[in-house]
Amino acid sequence: MISRSSSFSARSQRRPSLPDRSISRRLSALASAELGQNGAPTGHAEHQITEEIEEIKRYEDFTTIDWVQDAAREQLRRRARRKENAGFFEREGGLGWRHKLRESYDAGQAWIVVTLVGAAIGLNAGFLNIVTEWLSDIKLGHCTTAFYLNENFCCWGAENGCAEWHRWSSIWPINYFLYFLFSVLFALTSASLVKAFAPYAAGSGISEIKCIIAGFVMKGFLGFWTLLIKSICLPLAIASGLSVGKEGPSVHYAVCTGNVISRFFDKYKRNAAKTREILSACAAAGVAVAFGSPIGGVLFSLEEMSSYFPLKTMWRSYFCALVATAVLAAMNPFRTGQLVMFQVKYDRSWHFFEIIFFIFIGIFGGLYGAFVIKWNLRAQAFRKKYLTKYAVLEATLLAAGTAILCYPNMFLRIDMTESMEILFLECEGGHDYNGLCDAKNRWSMVLSLAFTTIMRTFLVIISYGCKVPAGIFVPSMAIGAAFGRMVGILVQALHESFPQARFFAGCEPDVPCITPGTYAFLGAAAALSGIMHITVSVVVIMFELTGALTYILPTMIVVGTTKAVSTRFAKGGIADRMIWFNGFPFLDTKEEHTFHVPVSSVMTPSSSSFALLPSTGLSLPELESLLAKSPYQGFPIVEDWASKVLLGYIGRTELQYALNRTKKGSLVSPYAKCIFSTDQSSSTATTPAVPSASTPPVTFDAIASSSGTQYVDFSRFVDPTPLAVHPRLPLETVMELFKKMGPRVILVEYRGKLMGLVTVKDCLKYQFKVEAEENGRHESRDGEGTTERGDEWLWGWIKRVGESVSDWIGRLSRGRIKLRATGEGTERLLGGGSGMYDPRDGRAPIPGSQEGGILDGTEEDEMELQDR
């Protein structure tokens, strides 16, 4: 059996009476929390124990949160607070102003946190916009009046440059070399900082945040160091010219901001469910500041990020996005009143004959998304297999290659947001970039835009996923804008060639009929929808970018066509496929499955190697030995190993805590027996050594007189009502339970007897197995072998080129510069093999036809990021 680290759940610390096990076991954990122990209110000691265990669980990495248990703990806290208030009334006879103030503060913490987080996100976004624009322009020239100004600020009010902005040299090759040098320097700095201080700052972060909001714990991913390094390295990565964007990382640093600030408030420090609300709101604010679209950000969080999105979360997400965009607008980083550079206004309408071309653009968006997702995953697999040790070198060489290929092309040379601003604009009004609107340059522009589309697509495939902060929103939008502008120019040329054709009868005389900029705008929407598989949020984002109600219908047509095509050729967007690639335990709420099998076909049977704890008879040394040897995160409690009558469930954290408390709080016999059932503990003749502060201390005389017969009661730490289902329950229903209720484990019982258990990991394994069989992957061994041979050939070629280059530089410098140590191949080539590594590199690979490949080790790899 494949070992399971998170296959067992840590359950709540409640001990209701069990007059009828078969009925009580089916009670929800929330009802159990309301009843307390034997129907009595939970005391202060019980509440303190719950908080101590929660503090321990905060440091468990790569585990999953049990939302049922978390909700039960919140009920315990509320009951303890109500009891405290009741006691205050009895003592004081009323509420004083201090108590009222404390209650008001507790009720308003959510809005305080949301306001602070939104303001911080807006400030950070404004700072990053200013720094990114300056770094992008410094590669091309400098401002003579003030070195810290970018080209737009240096030439404020001028349309096509000014005398104050100087290129580095009047000699073209020198400018080319400096552009190359700056690109390499920026990429090298960004990758080095990420590798040295915060490996989690690499990449987009959207995939991981989706899993974190769903309950997967990744310690350090939303920490302060990740926030700091992401904010510093993101402008460097974008300015390096790599085909990466800032919109995905904007979501990551926004969620990091929310996590860091919320930790200063007790309500969010101890409650995962409330923290999830803040993280969902921060994701909305991150998209809002990236696109200047607060409503689009809320819809993006609803459509893409959150698996649980109640009405209060939507309202707080909207408020957080509103505060963030308001602060960004107050900063006015571009001094134009625009929140993003590529905002544009259209004052013309469209014609119904253009719907044909709109549908064509939508088809391109769907095909683009499917193509990039497929080949980017291949590139990611190659990167994980061969390039993990060379993260800094890889990013540096990618930036160098990108600079060499992009500088000669006027659309690839400039920043992608600036290129979208140019491509979106109408030709009238003096907006012309290097003859883009000139009719005599039409065909050269078509060829240049076609080359831009192809080259940028290739660069996105190989660049997205390298170890720098990297998003894919803006690169995809830039590709779509280039393709759309090309289509718009061709349609404009067609109209000018046949102006009297009946096809163009809807055009008004003496008014431009075709606006190529709108085609670029629709192309950007199509590419964004195709790569992310989102629809409504894209339409709203593009509407807020233009403010033109006229183009909502064309945008909906394009996005709808893109969605239909992308769904046909690809399964899920790039974020969903990266979750699949990394092997995170995540059940997508957007998917629906029909397996026609019972849960017994998927469960791990009780006869397997996972550990069962008998209700009594197990000694302390035996329990400690089992806990030391077992990797499981929880243990079912049965009446005995023979009957396997299910009595409850205890988590590993609770059990370890109880053992430590027993050793510290009382003197017990080394052969003391452990009790996990309230029935057994109540019928025990001797006084049990209960691991709690309320139990009288055990004396040496008592130990001497009861040596070998003393009992330790762990029943208060056992969940007597774990979520249990019938073996014949359909697997689809069990998956819905995981999606909607969020338990870590579901036990399978038949007439009171434990038959097995099932986790999210088991469901995903079976799902991937069925999908592999449907896609015929189990019959494609020859294709997989060809792919592996191709990857090995490519890696061998890269090694030979690297060795040749290093030898050539060594000879050229007469041995003074050595890029690799003799006899070590490329292991020492520019930073390979040392330093902090990204724990995500240890995740499971893409599965072929082997059994369970994707999730092997999902929750049990011993990967600890250094605590900073």
Side-chain angles (χ1 to χ4, degrees), residues 456-671:
R456 184 77 75 188
T457 301
F458 168 74
L459 292 175
V460 165
I461 290 173
I462 63 175
S463 299
Y464 182 69
C466 66
K467 298 304 180 182
V468 296
I472 202 170
F473 284 31
V474 162
S476 296
M477 292 177 68
I479 292 169
F483 179 83
R485 185 79 185 207
M486 180 185 69
V487 173
I489 293 175
L490 293 175
V491 175
Q492 188 180 45
L494 182 65
H495 171 257
E496 292 179 1
S497 301
F498 306 97
Q500 303 301 323
R502 295 185 62 182
F503 185 76
F504 299 108
C507 296
E508 300 178 5
D510 302 327
V511 176
C513 181
I514 305 299
T515 306
T518 61
Y519 287 76
F521 162 78
L522 295 174
L528 178 58
S529 177
I531 198 67
M532 292 300 298
H533 282 218
I534 52 179
T535 53
V536 179
S537 53
V538 171
V539 174
V540 175
I541 286 172
M542 301 310 288
F543 162 67
E544 290 186 280
L545 280 175
T546 61
L549 285 169
T550 309
Y551 282 90
I552 282 187
L553 182 57
T555 308
M556 293 175 67
I557 293 172
V558 168
V559 170
T561 305
T562 300
K563 177 64 175 178
V565 175
S566 59
T567 303
R568 173 63 181 84
F569 290 98
K571 182 178 176 63
I574 186 69
D576 298 320
R577 302 312 290 166
M578 287 304 299
I579 292 174
W580 171 83
F581 177 82
N582 287 317
F584 296 136
F586 178 77
L587 283 174
D588 195 348
T589 56
K590 299 189 291 290
E591 294 183 358
E592 295 182 0
H593 303 282
T594 305
F595 298 115
H596 300 295
V597 297
V599 67
S600 57
S601 302
V602 179
M603 72 178 185
T604 302
S606 59
S607 58
S608 299
S609 59
F610 69 79
L612 304 177
L613 298 182
S615 61
T616 186
L618 199 65
S619 66
L620 276 177
E622 291 173 338
L623 182 61
E624 291 178 345
S625 175
L626 184 146
L627 198 61
K629 296 178 181 178
S630 171
Y632 313 133
Q633 291 295 315
F635 308 91
I637 306 299
V638 294
E639 196 169 273
D640 54 68
W641 281 314
S643 66
K644 296 183 181 177
V645 175
L646 180 61
L647 299 180
Y649 188 90
I650 186 170
R652 182 186 188 92
T653 305
E654 285 85 350
L655 185 56
Q656 186 66 62
Y657 172 83
L659 280 173
N660 295 338
R661 191 180 179 92
T662 301
K663 295 176 182 178
K664 294 179 182 178
S666 61
L667 299 174
V668 297
S669 168
Y671 299 100

Side-chain angles (χ1 to χ4, degrees), residues 365-375 530-531 533 565-566 568-570:
L367 295 176
Y368 160 80
F371 180 80
V372 170
I373 290 172
K374 176 182 178 180
W375 289 100
I531 198 67
H533 282 218
V565 175
S566 59
R568 173 63 181 84
F569 290 98

